[in-house]
Amino acid sequence: MKAIKIFNMKKNLMLVLLFNLLFLTGCSWKEIFSFSVVPMTDGILLTYDQEIKEYLAYTDIELPSYKIEFQGTLNITENRQGEFECIFAKNDDFTVSRLIQGIIEEYSGKNRVVFNEISVDDEMETWMNLRNETKDEKIYLQVKDGKIYNEHAYIILENGLRLTMNYARFTDKDNNVYYRWQKTESIRLVLHYPLMVIKQGEEKKFVFLALPNAVFTKFDTTTKTIKDLLSKDKFLEAEWYTYEYANSYEEDYQNYLNYYIDNFNGRYINDDFVYTYLGYDFKVVFNESNFIISFYS
């Protein structure tokens, strides 16, 4: 009871402070919670932050990226974690929906998408923003079966990187499928560059890894303190490059083997299974409980 009382007191204090802020600044609720957007025309390029370029073990090689292709202009938030991320905001929801649907259909046709259902909202009716030169209004839609699915899509790109997207998906009464913002977050796309720390002489550098889809790395270019990884020898150790199977060894082993063979010249050198990515060779050891990637040459 005491903990609940303290929590309620803190909540009330926060509300008082917020009302004072509104009063003193003369701002509206909308202004307090608004954010700036940047218009992007004819596409958005997702890539690694240039500030880490000097720490990469690559020279004279074009590194992979991903461009979100569209015609016209769409807005993304000004504040973002880095050049590897974009968050759509203040757009025509129907235009963004068609864009996301197109990406999903493209990579589903290539068998390169894995979906993860986060939660389900029970709603019989919802709305989307219709925005163009003459209109800015809410369009209400009847939801088929009363289910809105909050999902993450994991896409493994041909260049070895992973693109993740989060959105809410629903079908209307006419069987049209829509992709829109979730209640707690706008549509967000992130390009992931899995990292490995290697030692070249006395200097530590980063290289990028190619991982099968839905395999989670311990750190990548989205890691906030990325340069700190180079200051400690422990990040050279195998435990940081030991990965769990998305399902199980029985289900995934052959798929992972084929992934490296088909995309990155996976082959056996003596008894070692090795793949090549961006000019470097990596050894993969498939254990029953996990698989381990190490720098080969």
Side-chain angles (χ1 to χ4, degrees):
M1 292 294 292
K2 185 177 181 180
I4 294 174
K5 185 176 181 181
I6 292 173
F7 172 78
N8 288 332
M9 289 174 63
K10 289 182 177 179
K11 183 173 71 173
N12 291 335
L13 178 60
M14 290 176 65
L15 288 172
V16 170
L17 291 173
L18 182 56
F19 279 120
N20 287 338
L21 177 63
L22 291 170
F23 176 75
L24 292 172
T25 61
C27 294
S28 66
W29 288 99
K30 185 175 181 180
E31 290 171 320
I32 289 293
F33 293 104
S34 66
F35 44 83
S36 299
V37 296
V38 178
M40 308 295 287
T41 302
D42 296 335
I44 302 167
L45 181 67
L46 299 182
T47 185
Y48 60 91
D49 286 344
Q50 294 302 303
E51 65 183 34
I52 75 162
K53 188 173 183 178
E54 63 180 293
Y55 305 108
L56 297 175
Y58 301 104
T59 56
D60 301 324
I61 183 173
E62 184 177 353
L63 297 176
S65 59
Y66 177 73
K67 186 175 182 182
I68 306 168
E69 301 276 3
F70 57 83
Q71 294 182 339
T73 300
L74 290 173
N75 297 317
I76 64 172
T77 58
E78 184 175 27
N79 292 325
R80 52 179 178 157
Q81 294 183 66
E83 295 178 62
F84 50 81
E85 176 191 58
C86 77
I87 303 171
F88 288 105
K90 298 183 180 179
N91 293 294
D92 176 71
D93 288 342
F94 295 91
T95 300
V96 177
S97 175
R98 289 191 293 271
L99 173 64
I100 299 302
Q101 185 174 19
I103 295 172
I104 289 176
E105 288 179 351
E106 175 186 354
Y107 286 99
S108 292
K110 300 174 182 177
N111 197 28
R112 287 180 171 267
V113 187
V114 174
F115 299 98
N116 182 25
E117 183 180 294
I118 305 302
S119 61
V120 180
D121 297 328
D122 294 318
E123 295 184 22
M124 297 305 299
E125 183 181 72
T126 190
W127 54 274
M128 294 174 64
N129 294 298
L130 174 64
R131 289 192 173 104
N132 55 40
E133 294 178 356
T134 60
K135 292 183 179 180
D136 186 351
E137 61 181 305
K138 293 180 179 179
I139 302 297
Y140 288 87
L141 300 165
Q142 300 300 310
V143 180
K144 183 178 180 179
D145 300 328
K147 303 291 183 184
I148 298 178
Y149 301 92
N150 298 299
E151 295 178 337
H152 286 171
Y154 302 95
I155 299 173
I156 199 73
L157 302 173
E158 290 89 344
N159 60 18
L161 303 181
R162 180 188 299 132
L163 179 70
T164 61
M165 304 192 299
N166 70 277
Y167 52 82
R169 173 181 58 85
F170 68 93
T171 304
D172 71 7
K173 62 179 181 180
D174 296 321
N175 290 319
N176 298 305
V177 179
Y178 295 100
Y179 298 83
R180 60 145 219 213
W181 36 266
Q182 299 176 7
K183 290 182 178 179
T184 57
E185 189 177 13
S186 299
I187 291 180
R188 177 173 177 259
L189 282 74
V190 178
L191 184 63
H192 296 268
Y193 291 78
L195 292 172
M196 172 180 279
V197 179
I198 66 169
K199 203 164 187 178
Q200 292 185 326
E202 295 301 314
E203 194 174 20
K204 291 194 283 293
K205 292 280 190 176
F206 288 122
V207 290
F208 298 140
L209 296 176
L211 294 176
N213 207 357
V215 171
F216 294 97
T217 181
K218 296 180 175 66
F219 49 82
D220 60 21
T221 47
T222 67
T223 303
K224 292 182 179 179
T225 56
I226 189 171
K227 287 182 284 189
D228 294 345
L229 301 174
L230 296 176
S231 64
K232 299 176 181 179
D233 286 342
K234 71 176 184 178
F235 293 113
L236 295 166
E237 297 172 3
E239 65 176 289
W240 299 97
Y241 313 104
T242 300
Y243 304 98
E244 295 182 1
Y245 296 102
N247 300 293
S248 66
Y249 173 82
E250 291 76 15
E251 290 183 70
D252 295 331
Y253 165 70
Q254 193 61 52
N255 291 332
Y256 290 4
L257 200 69
N258 292 341
Y259 170 71
Y260 287 118
I261 292 172
D262 294 340
N263 295 278
F264 305 109
N265 192 28
R267 73 273 187 198
Y268 281 96
I269 300 178
N270 298 322
D271 293 329
D272 297 330
F273 182 76
V274 176
Y275 76 90
T276 302
Y277 186 55
L278 300 177
Y280 290 108
D281 291 336
F282 300 89
K283 174 183 172 182
V284 187
V285 175
F286 295 101
N287 303 311
E288 288 194 9
S289 58
N290 55 46
F291 67 100
I292 303 170
I293 298 179
S294 59
F295 188 70
Y296 194 76
S297 66

